Amino acid sequence: PLRRQRQMCIRDRHGTDRLCHHYGVHPTRCFHTYIPAHDRWETSPNSSVSSSRDPFFLYPANFWPHKNHEVLLTAYQLYRHKRGTDAWPLILTGHPDDRMQTLQAMATALGLAESVQFLGHLPNEEFADTWRSAGALVFPSLHEGFGIPLLEAFHHGVPVLAARASALPEVGADACQWFDPGNPAALAQSLDLVASDKELREKLVTAGRANLRRFSLHYEASRLAHFLHAAARNRVP
């Protein structure tokens, strides 16, 4: 089927590189359009939202294996062992399923039942409020076709810790605290660093808002229209 495609729309340059490397697809047959879905809750990225909640780490992801929750829980246990009662809680959201129950059992076995919350699937309004209250986004996923939560964090003024894997560095650029997603100790160190360093958090928030300017729905829609127009006329854009 790949040989019969005139043009292929990919979500990022990383995906194009993978197609070229693994399947020999010529790069002129691919184009990418980013997914600037970060403002879907109609909240201002510069709004000042007060919250009485203590800061917490947020990981919004379904409980699929590649989302790497096991490494996150292991790293969080190391971080909490170091910081004790000063450690930030960890909040996990996502569709409740059997894997979520398995991860809940793992958290309990690690002694984290009181500090890790599994909130399940949240309504939009509650989810947006959770975003605005978060102390930091932690995103240890092993594979992403794009990484919308990074943009959502930038939009809400939330500092980001992210795995240096797949498309995430392309999306996050210099606006994230990067870590090796296969190394729980490295992730624990990043959790501790971000939670304890206010200046670093402020730097990441500022860089995130600047990085967000690269992602425009109007621009990506115009780019998609350009490539579709060229493909319909059998032209190379």
Side-chain angles (χ1 to χ4, degrees):
L2 288 176
R3 295 179 181 177
R4 295 196 295 269
Q5 303 302 316
R6 183 173 299 169
Q7 287 283 309
M8 286 172 276
C9 179
I10 317 299
R11 287 176 288 185
D12 47 59
R13 289 191 300 272
H14 175 80
T16 296
D17 293 343
R18 295 297 85 198
L19 278 174
C20 297
H21 176 76
H22 291 292
Y23 299 101
V25 175
H26 197 277
T28 59
R29 294 173 55 209
C30 304
F31 66 94
H32 70 271
T33 55
Y34 291 139
I35 311 174
H38 47 278
D39 58 351
R40 53 186 167 147
W41 293 299
E42 299 181 354
T43 57
S44 169
N46 297 313
S47 63
S48 177
V49 179
S50 62
S51 173
S52 59
R53 301 174 70 175
D54 291 332
F56 56 87
F57 294 108
L58 173 64
Y59 186 26
N62 286 322
F63 300 100
W64 301 321
H66 73 274
K67 294 297 186 178
N68 207 23
H69 286 84
E70 287 85 353
V71 166
L72 174 58
L73 290 175
T74 302
Y76 182 74
Q77 197 273 341
L78 294 173
Y79 157 70
R80 190 162 186 84
H81 178 74
K82 178 179 180 180
R83 287 299 174 181
T85 57
D86 291 333
W88 289 6
L90 172 63
I91 288 181
L92 306 175
T93 67
H95 177 69
D97 57 15
D98 291 343
R99 261 188 59 79
M100 188 187 84
Q101 295 179 16
T102 299
L103 292 166
Q104 286 177 307
M106 177 180 177
T108 299
L110 291 172
L112 302 175
E114 300 299 321
S115 53
V116 178
Q117 300 178 47
F118 292 79
L119 299 187
H121 177 77
L122 299 178
N124 283 353
E125 184 176 348
E126 188 175 348
F127 196 19
D129 179 65
T130 300
W131 263 120
R132 292 190 294 264
S133 302
L137 168 70
V138 55
F139 205 76
S141 180
L142 297 171
H143 176 76
E144 292 294 319
F146 183 66
I148 291 175
L150 269 61
L151 299 193
E152 291 172 332
F154 299 154
H155 178 72
H156 289 289
V158 174
V160 177
L161 305 81
R164 192 181 295 277
S166 64
L168 296 179
E170 180 181 340
V171 175
D174 62 350
C176 300
Q177 176 69 33
W178 299 106
F179 59 83
D180 176 358
N183 187 335
L187 174 49
Q189 184 177 18
S190 292
L191 292 171
D192 187 36
L193 179 63
V194 170
S196 62
D197 192 334
K198 182 180 179 181
E199 289 186 4
L200 174 60
R201 295 197 300 273
E202 292 174 347
K203 178 181 177 181
L204 291 173
V205 168
T206 299
R209 286 174 173 159
N211 186 45
L212 195 60
R213 300 189 189 109
R214 296 196 292 129
F215 302 94
S216 160
L217 181 60
H218 176 76
Y219 174 78
E220 298 303 332
S222 300
R223 181 176 169 84
L224 177 60
H226 167 75
F227 280 98
L228 291 177
H229 186 272
R233 286 158 178 75
N234 200 25
R235 296 175 181 172
V236 177

